[in-house]
Amino acid sequence: MTKPLDGIRIIDFTHVQAGPACTQLLGFYGADVIKVERPGAGDVTRSQLRDIPGADALYFTMLNGNKRSLTLDTKTPEGKEVLEKMIKVSDVMVENFGPGALDRMGFSWKRIQELNPKMILASVKGFSDGHSYEDLKVYENVAQCAGGAASTTGFWDGPPTVSAAALGDSNTGMHLAIGILTALMQRQKTGKGQKVSCSMQDAVLNLCRVKLRDQQRLDKVGYLEEYPQYPHGSFTDVVPRGGNAGGGGQPGWVLKCKGWETDPNAYIYFTIQGHAWEPITKALGKPEWATDPAYMTAEARQDKIFDIFATIEDWLKDKTKYEAVDILRKFDIPCAPVLSMKELAASPDLRKSGSIVEVDHKVRGKYLTIGSPIKFSDLEIEVKPSPVLGEHTDEVLADLGYSADDIAKLHTAKAV
Ligand code: COA
């Protein structure tokens, strides 16, 4: 079966997480992704946080499936020549080096365009071009702090907190993938390539737009009624951390269930959606709250919201998180159990949907990885294990027209 991105060749000059997450996704959809790595070492994540001696670490294998691996030292003249050849016959080059690294290597955007005017160059950097921090190297948590996530995450009486979700890394990679696909569509119309970039700060900020909404509301009215600080606490002039409060108009909180004393994840997230108030009162055995003016509207409930949550917790104390959700779902109440990674890894639903996939790696054996989070009605996605370092070097060189003798010379020159 042909895949949507069949025939699109991608030079994958990415490392760590932000770039590899992007190119892996494009690999799922059929692009020929050629991961270019330094001979001998490769992507630093191959050896970071290793769990099996001698095998590529999960950090690498879970971000580099559906790719071919080419080792190439692009700082040698022979290596540069190979890269030039690749640029001439490829569609996209994706990179997330530190600022200026590609220019220092001799492959500025100008040079790439000279070699192939149809080329799309896609870059991840910490900050956007021209930003006063554009020279900074950036990792995940740095981006979360710079993009507004950390200042608005956590509890009001604690420090700024980063999220476990890779808002700076994988999220930026997903943004970049949209940019690449858009540039490919535009190229179909214009015949020209272009430079596409996404900064980690911008990608984090894009997910924090409701906090920018809140800053503007705060500037106007001086308080934010959906935050736990309202009406009993106080606000300063910046959006505060709101703990587990719901980010929109529906109050919500993480609530304890049976077993919370020993199980760190025996909780559900409970949302009090306006129209579900009556069903909630029924589920809780408090039908009188449905008609009591002190509880009937969201506005009336706000000053008692933590007492209401305490009542719900009391109702939850003899129910597991799964039992609670099974009852609440019948009342149309938006809620879910807090799931641990162990529970997600074992989830039959996620295996069935292909969201978590088991693949077989030639060195490390079977491991779990995340499949395509996007599902298609007419595309079956085959998730393949990551390549070992240089697994496809000779094959890629042969594709480029190198003879067996030339390939041997490149090996001798340590260019590959
Ligand atoms: N052959 C020869 N040299 C190679 C090479 C190859 N195949 N691949 C990479 N290199 C070189 C680069 O040319 C560069 O050399 P230079 O600094 O002498 O010019 C060097 O290896 C890589 O540098 P850099 O990307 O800055 O690596 P780092 O380990 O110092 O920094 C990051 C890592 C992630 C902090 C940095 O790459 C960065 O800020 N990237 C942009 C933001 C980003 O994506 N961060 C999140 C990562 S999840």
Side-chain angles (χ1 to χ4, degrees):
M1 184 187 139
T2 58
K3 298 264 162 52
L5 298 183
D6 271 349
I8 299 294
R9 184 178 292 149
I10 299 182
I11 303 172
D12 181 15
F13 239 149
T14 68
H15 64 159
V16 200
Q17 184 175 169
C22 166
T23 49
Q24 176 174 257
L25 197 74
L26 301 176
F28 287 168
Y29 306 148
D32 178 14
V33 180
I34 303 168
K35 172 115 181 164
V36 182
E37 297 171 87
R38 248 187 300 211
D43 188 326
V44 67
T45 58
R46 284 190 184 268
S47 56
Q48 263 176 358
L49 312 175
R50 263 198 177 131
D51 57 325
I52 301 176
D56 287 330
L58 287 163
Y59 198 3
F60 180 86
T61 62
M62 293 178 70
L63 285 155
N64 291 285
N66 297 49
K67 300 184 184 181
R68 298 198 280 166
S69 169
L70 164 77
T71 50
L72 189 66
D73 186 340
T74 55
K75 286 191 174 159
T76 63
E78 297 87 346
K80 282 191 201 304
E81 204 185 296
V82 174
L83 186 57
E84 284 186 5
K85 276 203 163 78
M86 287 181 79
I87 291 172
K88 285 180 186 159
V89 298
S90 298
D91 302 280
V92 183
M93 184 198 260
V94 191
E95 62 91 23
N96 66 319
F97 293 130
L102 206 56
D103 292 351
R104 291 193 292 280
M105 208 186 268
F107 291 92
S108 63
W109 172 223
K110 189 166 167 280
R111 178 73 188 126
I112 291 169
Q113 279 174 295
E114 282 164 11
L115 291 166
N116 180 357
K118 293 179 87 174
M119 173 64 83
I120 291 159
L121 171 64
S123 300
V124 167
K125 295 286 168 271
F127 296 90
S128 55
D129 287 347
H131 192 291
S132 52
Y133 283 161
E134 72 174 345
D135 56 317
L136 283 179
K137 287 186 175 180
V138 170
Y139 281 112
E140 172 66 58
N141 291 344
V142 177
Q144 290 201 25
C145 290
S151 69
T152 52
T153 302
F155 283 81
W156 45 92
D157 52 357
T161 305
V162 295
S163 165
L167 307 177
D169 284 344
S170 277
N171 170 46
T172 309
M174 300 303 105
H175 278 77
L176 193 69
I178 296 169
I180 292 168
L181 296 173
T182 305
L184 282 167
M185 292 295 288
Q186 192 169 358
R187 193 180 72 171
Q188 280 178 9
K189 297 186 180 121
T190 63
K192 285 194 311 195
Q194 63 181 304
K195 187 172 175 343
V196 180
S197 45
C198 185
S199 84
M200 295 167 75
Q201 182 188 40
D202 289 350
V204 173
L205 180 61
N206 191 28
L207 298 196
C208 289
R209 70 179 55 218
V210 296
K211 299 299 173 180
L212 184 59
R213 171 202 70 189
D214 294 348
Q215 185 61 53
Q216 296 175 82
R217 292 168 57 223
L218 188 63
D219 292 343
K220 275 245 157 49
V221 297
Y223 63 89
L224 299 164
E225 68 258 31
E226 76 282 23
Y227 281 63
Q229 291 82 342
Y230 180 85
H232 304 299
S234 57
F235 288 87
T236 66
D237 62 350
V238 299
V239 174
R241 293 184 270 287
N244 288 315
Q250 342 288 349
W253 204 253
V254 167
L255 301 180
K256 291 171 188 151
C257 295
K258 184 176 163 189
W260 67 272
E261 298 89 340
T262 50
D263 176 354
N265 296 304
Y267 292 82
I268 59 169
Y269 197 88
F270 191 103
T271 312
I272 305 183
Q273 207 185 1
H275 78 266
W277 178 244
E278 204 187 325
I280 290 170
T281 61
K282 276 195 198 135
L284 295 177
K286 288 260 183 199
E288 67 278 12
W289 278 0
T291 48
D292 181 345
Y295 287 90
M296 267 168 67
T297 64
E299 215 176 0
R301 289 191 291 271
Q302 186 57 37
D303 65 338
K304 300 177 271 297
I305 200 77
F306 281 98
D307 295 336
I308 294 171
F309 287 141
T311 306
I312 303 172
E313 275 191 337
D314 192 51
W315 176 80
L316 288 166
K317 67 177 186 261
D318 60 350
K319 297 167 190 70
T320 67
K321 60 186 178 184
Y322 295 110
E323 288 165 352
V325 168
D326 276 343
I327 297 170
L328 295 170
R329 70 199 299 184
K330 296 193 186 96
F331 293 91
D332 198 20
I333 294 168
C335 61
V338 171
L339 295 174
S340 68
M341 274 299 144
K342 198 176 174 70
E343 289 165 318
L344 290 165
S347 161
D349 291 324
L350 297 179
R351 297 296 181 93
K352 196 167 110 196
S353 65
S355 300
I356 294 186
V357 185
E358 186 175 76
V359 288
D360 201 357
H361 186 271
K362 56 160 70 165
V363 179
R364 70 174 302 120
K366 291 192 174 21
Y367 66 95
L368 294 182
T369 193
I370 307 287
S372 171
I374 306 160
K375 316 295 181 198
F376 300 85
S377 66
D378 198 16
L379 170 62
E380 207 171 302
I381 291 158
E382 188 194 351
V383 179
K384 298 180 194 152
S386 63
V388 296
L389 182 61
E391 184 173 340
H392 305 97
T393 298
D394 291 1
E395 178 185 302
V396 172
L397 293 171
D399 285 356
L400 289 170
Y402 283 91
S403 68
D405 272 3
D406 292 339
I407 294 174
K409 280 183 197 145
L410 286 170
H411 280 285
T412 311
K414 297 200 180 331
V416 296

